[in-house]
Amino acid sequence: MTILEWLSGVAWPLVFLTFLVLCILTVEVFSAVSRRFDPKDRTNDNIGRAALGFLSSAFIFVGAFTIITAWTENATLHAAAEHEVVVAETLLREIRLITPADSTVRLALWDYSEAVLRGETGTGGELAPSTEAEDAFVMVENAAIEVLEQPGIGTYRAEEVLDSLNDLKLAREERVGELSNKIALPLVLLLLVMAALNLAGIGLFPSGTSRGLKRTFGFVLAIAIAAMLTSVVLLESVQFIQPRLTLPVESLVSDLRGR
């Protein structure tokens, strides 16, 4: 388990406070080092300003890119879940056109949806493929094939069912594949390094005539950096992903229950 995965299971206020403490501590440590410098020597101010300007721009770029990547991954996962539900409903309609009284496929889809809710939507605190859901999907396939093997089924309708069944299989593979999509660890590490460099730069930069003003700037910067890092963790957390991922599956279960 990576640090990001561990933090994603912690309440976000605690994550924010943890990052804030670490950020303030970094500023304070390097600020203490800067006290050894001659306060009258400001010959390196131009270098410091240029370095901090570059570091802050790089941090903002990396942070924005990381947040956008996390948001896009979540949106893709939610869209995949919604698409799978739509395809499942299409399969059920095709089956009802062939055998209106048959309930085997509906019950198999119900069991499959319940298995997905329990094991693949983060309800148990983890987003990962479920063996139970995979087995339940096989039962959906078997139930649909058994319906097609009944006498009197037209070729056209049988092909429509097979197409819908194949679409459902592809939709499941797409959604399950998105479960493992996480922000690359090197990108997160780069974001942390850029944050540390910015904080260190603020701490080392000469305080001029007001060390108190420098500490205030450092504290404000620490809050901003802690907020950005917390946003990344929150977007990758199961608590954030689970509600929207569960909603379309719950809607399908409710629909199947009412038929």
Side-chain angles (χ1 to χ4, degrees), residues 55-125:
L55 289 173
S56 61
S57 299
F59 174 72
I60 292 172
F61 173 79
V62 174
F65 181 77
T66 305
I67 290 175
I68 291 173
T69 300
W71 185 270
T72 302
E73 285 183 351
N74 292 341
T76 302
L77 177 57
H78 299 149
E82 292 172 353
H83 175 63
E84 184 178 6
V85 168
V86 171
V87 175
E89 291 175 341
T90 300
L91 172 63
L92 192 58
R93 283 196 298 270
E94 294 293 340
I95 292 294
R96 288 171 66 87
L97 289 174
I98 294 176
T99 56
D102 186 87
S103 62
T104 56
V105 176
R106 180 180 67 85
L107 293 175
L109 276 173
W110 188 353
D111 290 340
Y112 169 66
S113 301
E114 292 281 6
V116 170
L117 276 178
R118 287 191 298 270
E120 294 183 343
T121 59
T123 304

Side-chain angles (χ1 to χ4, degrees), residues 171-207:
R172 168 173 171 75
E173 291 175 352
E174 178 185 3
R175 178 182 56 79
V176 170
E178 292 296 333
L179 290 176
S180 59
N181 285 348
K182 298 291 183 181
I183 295 178
L185 184 58
L187 184 59
V188 176
L189 292 177
L190 177 60
L191 182 62
L192 292 174
V193 169
M194 298 308 302
L197 290 176
N198 272 273
L199 294 166
I202 290 293
L204 289 173
F205 198 80
S207 59

Side-chain angles (χ1 to χ4, degrees), residues 235-248:
L235 288 172
E236 289 293 287
S237 67
V238 175
Q239 297 95 319
F240 181 82
I241 299 173
Q242 189 265 334
R244 285 184 59 195
L245 184 60
T246 302
L247 187 61

Side-chain angles (χ1 to χ4, degrees), residues 116-151:
V116 170
L117 276 178
R118 287 191 298 270
E120 294 183 343
T121 59
T123 304
E126 183 180 0
L127 287 171
S130 164
T131 302
E132 180 187 3
E134 182 65 34
D135 293 341
F137 184 80
V138 173
M139 297 303 294
V140 173
E141 291 181 305
N142 292 339
I145 296 300
E146 288 179 4
V147 169
L148 296 181
E149 290 177 348
Q150 296 178 8

